Amino acid sequence: MPILEARLVTKKFGGLAAVSDISFDLGEGEILGLIGPNGSGKTTLVNVICGALPRTAGNVRFKGGELMGLPTHEISRLGVSRTFQVVKPFRNLTVLENVMVGALFGKTGGARDLGTARREAEAVLEFVALAHRARAQADGLNVPERKRMELARALAMRPTVLFLDEVMAGLNSAEIDAAVALIKKIRGRGVSLIVIEHVMKAIRSLSDRIMVLFHGEKLTEGPPDDVLNNPEVVAAYLGRRYAERARA
Amino acid sequence: MLEVKGLSAGYGDVQILREVSLAVDDGEIVTLVGSNGSGKSTLLNAICGIIRPTAGLVRLDSTDITGWNSEAIVARGITQVPEGRRLFPTMTVHENLLMGAYRRRDGQGIERDLEWMYAMFPRLKERQKQQAGSMSGGEQQMCAIARGLMAKPRILILDELSLGLAPIMLDTLVDAMQKIHREGTTIFLVEQDVATAFDLAKTGYVLENGRVVLSGPTAELKTNPHVKRAYLGL
Amino acid sequence: MNGARWLPIAACLLALAVLAMAPAVVSPFMTQFLINLFMLAVLAESWNIVGGFTGYASFGNVAFFGVGAYTTGILLTKSGWPLALALPAAGALAMLFAALVGMPILRLKGHYFAIATLGVAETMREVVYNLEITGAGTGLVMPIARTPLLFFYVMLAILVAATLTNWWLSRSRFGYGLVAIREDEDAAAAMGIHTARYKTLAFALSGAFAGLAGGVFAYWITFIDPDGVFKVTMTIQMIIMAVFGGAGTIFGPLLGALVLASVSELLSTQLVTLAEVFNGLVVILVVLFMPKGLSDVIRRRSFRLRDVARNFREYRI
């Protein structure tokens, strides 16, 4: 059974439909890539599924239970976590403390005391290779470090399903390779992932399947090779320079 | 037009830039590429008067503008489109563009340029009355560039044009940049997406750890093995 | 526990012991000053829970102080309850009141929240002014206490409790949740924190201590009326003391109360008019020179003019 089932998810702002009748499944242990032009509704979709925005219509079942209508914190307690496109660090706390908040809260059953939370947070920081910055102030990190902290915080929440929203933006080629490897390690731990990205190199190597959104609707979905060579997708999203480079 | 010679700068006790030199000639598109932490933002901050360099100079035409404050530098004709757009989110697209023309007094010229912007970016014309903060990333980028152009700059500095943009949006913006360039604007592009940067610019500089390690025509830089390995992932 | 951890605890116990012996050695005037100081410190520490840790700057905590004062007043005068029962009742009622008021008001953010809390305090004053049971405009007169030293030790005990609560917040899951709410409420909710519940609890806790302080105050001053008890200047004082000392720290508010109350007392004996200007001057001082408060300056052991200059420039930009 898929771990996440979305059916006809719709979100309207006034008369404008930001997201329209989106249905998809996320298999257990799968990495689903989510791509689409800016403004196609990717982040809105994540916001609706994770309870940050109320839906207009549709259902999302997680492990058989309905998510729609639940407040954000309850969805997190159930085991659905997300990172934010524009990272939201707790600026006046250290990196370790930031991640400890994830360990203390997040999915039910986590650490209740600071000592355990600290140990768990340290373990997560080791896993994402940010342990050397544990005592640094969160607002003193550079861009890739901030993204990794955002990721560490979400991981500390012990998610079953994790939404990653453009974690690769601003990373160079080598950093992207490292991030891809890390995300695969995360999947290896049993987490199912939905990854929103514009960095094609990453999406191609990460995704088991890719879903394409366009103007709030699902354009197509399928294995990476099929989707990225689909002429509709090239026209709507990839553009001619990408196609030229891919041919070269 | 813009000349940087032996520029060193940093924050507090930490030195980031070490004797950086580069030049942007009239009517050119020049790019500076480098990874996070290479010092690109520090360089722009030093050029645009946000921080004082500890050594070296910045010259616009023949005037030494080293250490001038930002208002004076903008008045001289340098306009920056900052990383992350930094639009006025609660103002409409139209209002943001007008803010770009803040220092100008030529009403008719401003009207003409607004027409030019809307012709170049039809998407912006559609969303004229929309709050800038409610648009998608690519549309915001368009708005930020248009706002920068409304100042009628002598040189337009673009900081991380491609950040968070869908590939097709990047196509649109690259086309727009080439058009703007053809119409006479000098462009200095600071970028992390090396492929895009080398497509646009004829001359390039590569910044690593605060030093310029490579420079020259981008056609040559593209074939440089170090560049290929480290930046193009090839 | 190793040696280093014992030191601060020993220091606190020592200070507590010294304070406990104070009434025996200092003048009655000094004793009264200390009771006032303890009260202000309780108010600052209680404000710190909702203002410092949770980041919701309440401008109406004096409302809970007043509720506590009047609850004690009514129970003492009209129902003949002993202080031992009236005081906890005051705290409980103030806590309940804060929770009820908090539920709608904590949905507001920033400036709107501040103004709404200010409104609550002002409204309470008017309500009390118009009720029979509270003695309306005439106020209430308390029975005279047989053991005036009682106030000293009770207020000190409440101060210890309030400070211990702040200490507990700094090391508990609940406290971490509050700080997360302060730093980024949306991220906090996304991380599984029930923000509405946590905020309300913080507000209620803050109100409880303010109410207890009010209860002791009523009995100590022996006469309460709406204007004397719902003073907006008291709200301002507790905020300034907490921020000056260091909002969000354990001892900051206490430190702030100590320094500012002492200086204010000295000034008012020398130059009455300067005392009035004092509060305003402190605000300017804190914003310009030490935005994170005195405890941050002490912790960093530095106060370089270069930092001050940087603050200046950053505010200019």
Side-chain angles (χ1 to χ4, degrees), chain A residues 2-181:
Chain A
I3 200 148
L4 196 68
E5 295 168 284
R7 295 286 175 270
L8 302 175
V9 178
T10 304
K11 174 66 192 168
K12 290 200 172 125
F13 293 103
L16 187 70
V19 165
S20 214
D21 294 330
I22 306 275
S23 302
F24 68 91
D25 285 343
L26 179 67
E28 205 165 335
E30 189 179 16
I31 298 182
L32 178 67
L34 180 56
I35 63 177
N38 300 98
S40 55
K42 306 186 296 293
T43 301
T44 307
L45 181 62
V46 175
N47 280 336
V48 170
I49 296 177
C50 292
L53 280 178
R55 62 161 163 190
T56 306
N59 295 96
V60 181
R61 298 183 82 76
F62 168 63
K63 294 206 279 197
E66 178 64 53
L67 284 186
M68 293 291 92
L70 293 180
T72 316
H73 66 267
E74 260 185 66
I75 294 181
S76 302
R77 310 287 287 153
L78 287 172
V80 177
S81 303
R82 50 94 55 98
T83 63
F84 286 91
Q85 186 178 4
V86 180
V87 297
K88 289 168 160 286
F90 299 133
R91 288 176 192 282
N92 288 306
L93 301 183
T94 63
V95 171
L96 183 64
E97 287 165 345
N98 265 267
V99 181
M100 277 168 72
V101 177
L104 285 168
F105 297 94
K107 185 161 83 179
T108 330
R112 296 231 131 213
D113 68 286
L114 294 197
T116 315
R118 185 166 295 124
R119 277 192 298 278
E120 282 178 22
E122 281 166 354
V124 173
L125 285 175
E126 275 291 341
F127 184 75
V128 304
L130 201 57
H132 60 291
R133 298 289 267 151
R135 315 254 167 247
Q137 192 91 340
D139 58 2
L141 299 181
N142 64 33
V143 169
E145 287 171 339
R146 263 185 252 162
K147 299 252 164 180
R148 249 183 297 157
M149 186 183 82
E150 181 88 357
L151 183 60
R153 239 175 32 176
L155 276 181
M157 292 165 66
R158 302 164 298 284
T160 313
V161 170
L162 180 57
F163 287 86
L164 297 179
D165 199 344
E166 293 193 42
V167 293
M168 312 263 181
L171 300 187
N172 68 26
S173 201
E175 287 159 352
I176 290 173
D177 288 337
V180 168

Side-chain angles (χ1 to χ4, degrees), chain C residues 175-200:
Chain C
Y176 261 72
L178 294 182
V179 169
I181 291 174
R182 176 189 77 204
E183 294 293 310
D184 193 315
E185 194 160 342
D186 288 333
M191 295 181 80
I193 297 171
H194 194 317
T195 52
R197 183 187 298 161
Y198 271 48
K199 283 190 289 189
T200 310

Side-chain angles (χ1 to χ4, degrees), chain C residues 14-144:
Chain C
L14 187 64
L16 205 54
V18 168
L19 279 174
M21 292 192 294
V25 288
V26 302
S27 69
F29 172 77
M30 185 61 168
T31 308
Q32 300 290 51
F33 168 74
L34 282 173
I35 298 176
N36 193 48
L37 173 63
F38 294 162
M39 184 183 77
L40 291 170
V42 169
L43 288 173
E45 289 281 340
S46 79
W47 184 89
N48 197 35
I49 297 172
V50 71
F53 275 93
T54 318
Y56 272 72
S58 164
F59 271 74
N61 268 26
V62 78
F64 312 124
F65 179 79
V67 165
Y70 268 93
T71 305
T72 308
I74 293 169
L75 289 173
L76 283 177
T77 55
K78 306 268 163 78
S79 315
W81 282 30
L83 186 68
L85 288 178
L87 195 56
L93 199 65
M95 184 168 191
L96 189 64
F97 179 62
L100 288 173
V101 163
M103 282 193 278
I105 281 194
L106 287 161
R107 288 166 194 254
L108 303 168
K109 300 266 166 80
H111 314 301
Y112 300 106
F113 173 75
I115 293 174
T117 51
L118 192 62
V120 168
E122 294 298 292
T123 306
M124 279 315 291
R125 192 183 55 225
E126 289 305 308
V127 164
V128 163
Y129 198 81
N130 285 293
L131 284 180
E132 281 283 340
I133 192 172
T134 56
T138 340
L140 293 174
V141 181
M142 306 294 136
I144 304 289

Side-chain angles (χ1 to χ4, degrees), chain A residues 37-39 143-144 166 170-173 175 198 235-241 245, chain B residues 35-36 136-138 163-169 171 175 192 195-196 199 230 233:
Chain A
N38 300 98
V143 169
E166 293 193 42
L171 300 187
N172 68 26
S173 201
E175 287 159 352
H198 288 303
Y237 176 65
L238 294 170
R240 58 148 220 285
R241 282 167 65 254
R245 266 189 238 151
Chain B
S35 305
N36 285 308
S136 72
L163 199 62
L165 288 188
I168 195 167
M169 187 54 67
D171 274 3
D175 288 342
Q192 208 181 225
T196 305
D199 276 350

